[in-house]
């Protein structure tokens, strides 16, 4: 679909497909490094081309995506087939003219940032200075310059001297959208640390520490696992940040460290099923979350191809489904409801009927429009606000 | 609902029993639930080691859960009790009898969920404890205060099984740690390369076909056995035996 018509009929075609990473084999450890992409981050656009960073477990790559929709015709030294013309045959000079051609999208790797992570990369975040970015693995965070691939600076290291003492890992990290010296990282114990790179070269000491005190009445053997933060995102304003743990989404005011300002339950009905979810490993699923452009709404995924949206102002929430059966093109999505107990109403789905293989881990909200992208296993859905 | 399709018997009825029996009946079932969670967690940790590097976050969370259970059991005094009871031995035997430990890493790597784990659960199917583990997370009355120090974990305890338990967790973290180049270099610093083909040795070292002996007990008690890739390549058995001797020295 031509991108110069944003309010068109709402049908999308694939723009470009390319292979970012290939599987590799680490001969020293005798282990395979999967080509699976963990994170993608766009760079702010500075010219006609688009740049993005993509990463697998070990290597980050900078890709340039550029369009070509014109080509030059009427060269002097070569003919239309590209063959060189005999110079003696050229009797006149002409200026080549640009003619339109079918759109061609090229993706070319521009930088490869490798060999800086011993553990699996879980986050990348582009800095507001547009020159640097961070990459985080389970135990370390590195700072890179986009132009320099053979060096990175280690800014956080939580690896204990004795690995047997390891009880906490880094789960996500992000730069502040406006302050290029500030970043946060979350942990498997449900804490968030905000660090200022101006204070010291190695940011092992945090400037702020965010943690909500535990509710003793709901404590169980699974409390720590469900408190593990799977995603952290700053609001566009830079005043708030949002964290996703297994059952909820929390909005934090950066000025208040002892508790979040808002908590939204994503699928509280799973709390009584934690043991089964631990058994089938679903409890370790890492859901992402995102803000809309104005920070008035947040969105995150759940199971059974459900995703949830919360309006921060009206406190209303909605559950929608991303599946072929429930989304005909241009049809309005019907709100879904999970029956938590007692009598199941019509159109409600009971907790035991939920498909835990159909999980929506990745969602994205357009920074300016009310258009969302939802990834449901091997399908990508794009939804938008109905146009009156 | 469940990915693995395991059917569970509803155990809720038992807890509604009236009279003084309720208190007495609830506690042993909680212990059994807790024990089965412990067993499940230990198996999960063992199964972490595949051809692809294990997920460190998941391993840490499971290990922390295991520590919590162990701390609580130590405080209860049930830790010593479990060792002598048949259920304690039985759980280890169950681990020994499953074919998970014999499974090749390639089979384990296929699919996100380990198919062999279903086999393990089937062994538990008749066990009451497994059925009631679902209600365990909502049993608030028997919970231990959170501020139990992790010093408990490190305190001296003559119990052999506890020592083995500690060792098994340590082994797991050592294994995770040992997948770094440094320790491999240390390991091979004494080896004369002229005797072995280095590539074969590296492959054999990491795959640790020791697991092919299906001896889960040995894994727990041996200080050298690591639960890494369980490639059951019989042609590397001899090489592994040699490497094992090197590692033990």
């Amino acid at each position: 679909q031509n991108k110069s018509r944003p309010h068109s009929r709402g049908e999308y075609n694939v723009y470009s497909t390319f292979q970012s990473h290939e599987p590799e084999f680490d001969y020293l450890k005798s282990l395979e490094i999967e080509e699976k992409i963990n994170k993608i981050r766009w760079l702010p656009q500075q010219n006609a081309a688009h740049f993005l960073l993509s990463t697998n477990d070990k290597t980050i790559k900078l890709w340039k995506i550029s369009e070509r929709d014109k080509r030059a015709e009427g060269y002097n030294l070569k003919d239309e087939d590209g063959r060189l013309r005999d110079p003696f045959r050229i009797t006149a000079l002409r200026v080549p003219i640009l003619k339109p051609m079918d759109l061609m999208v090229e993706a070319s790797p521009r930088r490869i940032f490798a060999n800086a992570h011993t553990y699996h990369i879980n986050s990348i975040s582009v800095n507001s200075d547009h020159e640097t970015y961070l990459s985080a693995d389970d135990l370390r965070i590195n700072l890179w310059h986009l132009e320099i691939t053979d060096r990175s600076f280690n800014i956080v290291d939580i690896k204990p001297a004795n690995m047997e003492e390891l009880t906490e890992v880094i789960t996500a990290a992000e730069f502040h959208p406006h302050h290029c010296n500030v970043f946060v990282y979350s942990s498997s114990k449900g804490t968030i640390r905000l660090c200022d790179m101006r204070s010291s070269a190695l940011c092992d000491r945090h400037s702020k520490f965010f943690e909500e005190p535990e509710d003793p009445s709901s404590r169980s053997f699974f409390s720590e696992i469900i408190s593990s933060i799977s995603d952290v995102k700053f609001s566009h304003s830079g005043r708030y940040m949002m964290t996703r743990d297994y059952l909820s989404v929390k909005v934090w005011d950066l000025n208040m460290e002892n508790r979040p300002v808002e908590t939204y339950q994503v699928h509280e009905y799973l709390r009584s099923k934690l043991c089964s979810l631990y058994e089938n490993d679903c409890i370790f699923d890492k859901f992402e979350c995102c803000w809309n452009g104005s920070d008035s709404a947040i969105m995150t995924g759940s199971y059974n191809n459900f995703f949830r949206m919360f309006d921060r102002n009206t406190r209303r929430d909605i559950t929608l489904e991303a599946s072929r059966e429930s989304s005909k093109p241009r049809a309005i999505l019907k709100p879904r409801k999970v029956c938590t107990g007692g009598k199941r109403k019509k159109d409600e789905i009971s907790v035991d009927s939920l498909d835990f293989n159909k999980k929506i881990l990745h969602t994205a909200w357009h920074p300016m429009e009310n258009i969302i992208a939802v990834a449901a296993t091997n399908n990508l859905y794009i939804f938008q606000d109905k146009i009156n | 609902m469940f990915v693995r399709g395991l059917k569970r018997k509803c155990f809720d009825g038992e807890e509604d029993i009236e009279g003084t029996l309720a208190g007495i009946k609830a506690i042993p079932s909680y212990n059994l639930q807790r024990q089965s969670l412990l067993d499940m967690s230990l198996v999960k940790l063992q199964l972490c080691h595949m051809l692809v590097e294990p997920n460190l976050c998941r391993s840490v969370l499971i290990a922390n859960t295991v520590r919590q259970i162990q701390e609580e059991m130590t405080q209860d005094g049930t830790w010593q009790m479990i060792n002598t009871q048949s259920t304690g031995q039985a759980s280890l035997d169950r681990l020994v009898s499953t074919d998970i430990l014999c499974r090749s890493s390639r089979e384990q790597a296929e699919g996100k969920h380990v198919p062999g784990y279903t086999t393990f659960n089937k062994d538990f199917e008749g066990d009451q404890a497994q059925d009631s583990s679902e209600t365990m997370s909502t049993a608030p009355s028997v919970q231990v205060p959170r501020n139990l120090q992790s010093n408990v974990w490190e305190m001296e305890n003559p119990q052999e099984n506890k020592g083995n338990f500690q060792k098994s967790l340590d082994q797991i973290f050592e294994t995770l740690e040992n997948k770094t180049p440094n320790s491999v270099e240390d390991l091979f610093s004494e080896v004369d390369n002229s005797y072995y083909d280095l590539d074969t040795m590296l492959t054999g070292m990491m795959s640790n076909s020791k697991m092919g002996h299906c001896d889960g007990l040995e894994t727990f008690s041996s200080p050298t056995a690591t639960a890494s890739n369980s490639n059951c390549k019989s042609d590397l058995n001899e090489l592994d035996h040699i490497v094992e001797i090197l590692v033990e020295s």
Side-chain angles (χ1 to χ4, degrees):
Chain A
Q1 186 72 312
N2 191 327
K3 59 188 168 81
S4 65
R5 288 188 284 138
H7 292 293
S8 58
R9 296 171 307 137
E11 284 176 30
Y12 291 82
N13 292 322
V14 172
Y15 178 68
S16 167
T17 306
F18 61 95
Q19 186 80 17
S20 174
H21 288 68
E22 299 281 348
E24 285 172 43
F25 198 80
D26 182 337
Y27 288 97
L28 196 59
K29 299 182 197 175
S30 198
L31 291 168
E32 192 182 310
I33 301 168
E34 292 183 300
E35 72 273 30
K36 178 173 66 77
I37 304 295
N38 296 335
K39 283 284 148 66
I40 300 170
R41 288 288 180 265
W42 292 99
L43 264 61
Q45 193 172 9
Q46 287 171 331
N47 52 39
H50 291 281
F51 287 87
L52 62 82
L53 286 170
S54 72
T55 184
N56 67 353
D57 286 336
K58 300 284 182 178
T59 304
I60 306 133
K61 291 190 183 181
L62 175 68
W63 286 89
K64 176 181 176 183
I65 297 142
S66 45
E67 286 184 0
R68 200 191 292 228
D69 62 356
K70 299 186 244 307
R71 68 187 159 89
E73 269 181 21
Y75 283 101
N76 292 293
L77 294 177
K78 54 182 178 172
D79 61 24
E80 299 313 313
D81 295 337
R83 283 179 305 199
L84 290 173
R85 287 170 80 192
D86 188 356
F88 293 107
R89 302 266 180 132
I90 300 169
T91 53
L93 283 179
R94 55 186 178 173
V95 177
I97 52 170
L98 291 174
K99 285 214 170 132
M101 60 179 253
D102 287 341
L103 180 65
M104 205 167 79
V105 181
E106 293 174 311
S108 55
R110 276 306 205 238
R111 305 270 187 279
I112 297 177
F113 305 90
N115 303 319
H117 286 279
T118 308
Y119 302 96
H120 292 176
I121 298 174
N122 54 50
S123 308
I124 46 176
S125 176
V126 183
N127 206 349
S128 52
D129 63 8
H130 303 171
E131 287 183 350
T132 57
Y133 75 95
L134 63 76
S135 59
D137 66 30
D138 296 310
L139 299 178
R140 297 190 178 101
I141 301 180
N142 293 329
L143 179 71
W144 301 83
H145 192 284
L146 284 164
E147 300 292 327
I148 301 166
T149 58
D150 60 356
R151 230 178 317 146
S152 69
F153 293 97
N154 176 242
I155 53 177
V156 173
D157 189 339
I158 65 166
K159 185 179 175 195
N162 187 353
M163 275 294 270
E164 291 157 18
E165 290 163 11
L166 180 67
T167 57
E168 190 173 11
V169 299
I170 296 169
T171 52
E174 192 175 70
F175 266 118
H176 191 279
H178 309 308
H179 305 301
C180 58
N181 51 298
V182 172
F183 66 94
V184 292
Y185 68 93
S186 59
S187 83
S188 56
K189 288 197 172 173
T191 65
I192 308 103
R193 289 168 176 81
L194 185 143
C195 300
D196 186 334
M197 294 196 292
R198 292 173 303 190
S199 57
S200 70
L202 187 62
C203 300
D204 278 355
R205 297 188 60 195
H206 49 265
S207 303
K208 294 198 186 194
F209 182 77
F210 299 82
E211 187 178 27
E212 181 168 28
E214 200 187 359
D215 175 12
S217 68
S218 65
R219 172 141 183 80
S220 73
F221 284 120
F222 306 109
S223 293
E224 186 184 309
I225 300 178
I226 63 169
S227 75
S228 176
I229 291 171
S230 52
D231 194 17
V232 64
K233 291 266 173 44
F234 279 103
S235 64
H236 293 93
S237 63
R239 199 184 140 194
Y240 299 97
M241 67 177 176
M242 165 166 60
T243 57
R244 174 71 155 98
D245 50 74
Y246 191 62
L247 297 179
S248 68
V249 178
K250 295 177 182 172
V251 175
W252 302 77
D253 184 322
L254 294 185
N255 297 316
M256 189 161 73
E257 298 168 55
N258 58 352
R259 60 179 174 82
V261 290
E262 294 153 34
T263 301
Y264 301 93
Q265 301 302 335
V266 181
H267 36 220
E268 181 68 15
Y269 47 79
L270 295 183
R271 192 179 286 273
S272 57
K273 309 282 181 190
L274 290 178
C275 194
S276 310
L277 294 164
Y278 177 70
E279 188 193 340
N280 64 20
D281 271 3
C282 281
I283 208 174
F284 300 107
D285 286 336
K286 292 191 188 296
F287 292 94
E288 292 176 359
C289 53
C290 61
W291 300 84
N292 71 342
S294 60
D295 298 335
S296 63
I298 58 182
M299 173 168 64
T300 188
S302 177
Y303 293 104
N304 209 72
N305 282 340
F306 288 171
F307 59 100
R308 304 260 285 139
M309 284 185 187
F310 303 93
D311 186 315
R312 294 177 65 214
N313 300 322
T314 65
R315 291 307 174 125
R316 282 202 334 243
D317 63 88
I318 190 168
T319 304
L320 298 170
E321 183 177 353
S323 68
R324 284 182 196 278
E325 300 80 44
S326 61
S327 8
K328 301 286 178 289
R330 309 181 63 196
I332 292 173
L333 290 175
K334 204 175 68 173
R336 307 301 307 242
K337 189 140 164 55
V338 176
C339 165
T340 52
K343 225 161 137 45
R344 185 175 77 88
K345 298 193 189 75
K346 183 178 177 289
D347 284 351
E348 280 186 359
I349 182 165
S350 71
V351 180
D352 295 316
S353 311
L354 295 173
D355 189 338
F356 286 81
N357 281 323
K358 295 182 178 167
K359 46 194 97 176
I360 292 180
L361 304 175
H362 308 286
T363 59
W365 206 312
H366 193 288
M368 287 168 293
E369 312 281 342
N370 265 351
I371 304 172
I372 58 171
V374 175
T377 315
N378 54 356
N379 291 309
L380 179 68
Y381 292 85
I382 298 180
F383 301 110
Q384 61 189 66
D385 245 5
K386 63 179 193 271
I387 299 158
N388 294 324
Chain B
M1 168 196 164
F2 309 124
V3 174
R4 290 195 182 83
L6 173 67
K7 257 199 153 350
R8 301 167 164 285
K9 284 195 290 219
C10 177
F11 211 71
D12 291 317
E14 187 130 324
E15 304 197 3
D16 287 334
I17 293 168
E18 299 164 288
T20 55
L21 281 177
I24 296 160
K25 274 215 171 182
I27 289 167
S29 83
Y30 173 79
N31 280 354
L32 286 172
Q33 290 170 28
R34 190 174 56 185
Q35 181 65 44
S36 80
L37 182 66
L38 178 62
D39 297 336
M40 191 201 302
S41 305
L42 288 172
V43 171
K44 278 183 182 295
L45 284 175
Q46 296 280 359
L47 295 177
C48 271
H49 307 282
M50 304 175 175
L51 192 62
V52 177
E53 268 182 301
N55 182 333
L56 187 62
C57 181
R58 182 178 171 274
S59 304
V60 166
L61 289 172
I62 297 172
N64 288 353
T65 308
V66 164
R67 279 197 192 99
Q68 273 183 64
I69 297 171
Q70 189 261 347
E71 279 170 15
E72 192 185 281
M73 285 170 98
T74 309
Q75 237 212 9
D76 280 357
T78 53
W79 180 258
Q80 293 170 23
M81 215 168 74
I82 290 291
N83 289 340
T84 52
Q85 269 177 13
S86 58
T87 45
Q89 276 318 112
S91 62
L92 285 177
D93 289 340
R94 261 192 223 110
L95 285 170
V96 168
S97 63
T98 62
D99 64 89
I100 305 160
L101 303 176
C102 309
R103 217 166 258 272
S104 76
S105 63
R106 178 62 72 182
E107 288 171 70
Q108 285 179 3
E110 276 157 24
K112 197 163 154 41
H113 302 284
V114 179
Y117 192 54
T118 315
T119 317
F120 176 69
N121 281 326
K122 281 184 183 139
D123 289 339
F124 265 78
E125 204 163 5
D127 187 350
Q128 297 180 344
Q130 192 68 356
D131 301 332
S132 45
S133 61
E134 187 156 337
T135 57
M136 178 182 11
S137 57
T138 56
S141 54
V142 202
Q143 297 299 337
V144 171
R146 195 194 188 193
N147 54 11
L148 185 66
Q149 290 306 310
S150 58
N151 292 338
V152 169
W153 177 242
E154 275 135 37
M155 79 185 185
E156 286 178 62
N157 191 313
Q159 290 289 340
E160 192 186 88
N161 277 14
K162 178 162 180 168
N164 292 339
F165 180 73
Q166 161 91 45
K167 272 181 192 155
S168 64
L169 263 192
D170 291 351
Q171 284 160 34
I172 285 155
F173 280 119
E174 262 171 44
T175 312
L176 295 173
E177 167 74 325
N178 283 343
K179 290 193 194 286
T180 60
N182 287 338
S183 58
V184 168
E185 272 161 20
D186 291 340
L187 216 47
F188 291 135
S189 58
E190 292 160 340
V191 171
D192 183 3
N193 286 345
S194 64
Y195 282 94
Y196 310 109
D197 176 55
L198 192 59
D199 280 348
T200 317
M201 166 173 272
L202 281 170
T203 318
M205 179 66 207
M206 288 306 160
S207 39
N208 188 20
S209 57
K210 199 178 190 317
M211 298 304 284
H213 300 300
C214 302
D215 205 331
L217 269 172
E218 196 182 337
T219 310
F220 274 0
S221 56
S222 161
T224 59
T226 57
S228 54
N229 312 326
S230 37
N231 273 333
C232 296
K233 292 178 186 157
S234 54
D235 54 339
L236 290 170
N237 276 349
E238 197 187 31
L239 188 58
D240 285 319
H241 182 59
I242 295 163
V243 170
E244 196 187 324
I245 295 166
L246 287 171
V247 170
E248 280 186 51
S249 65

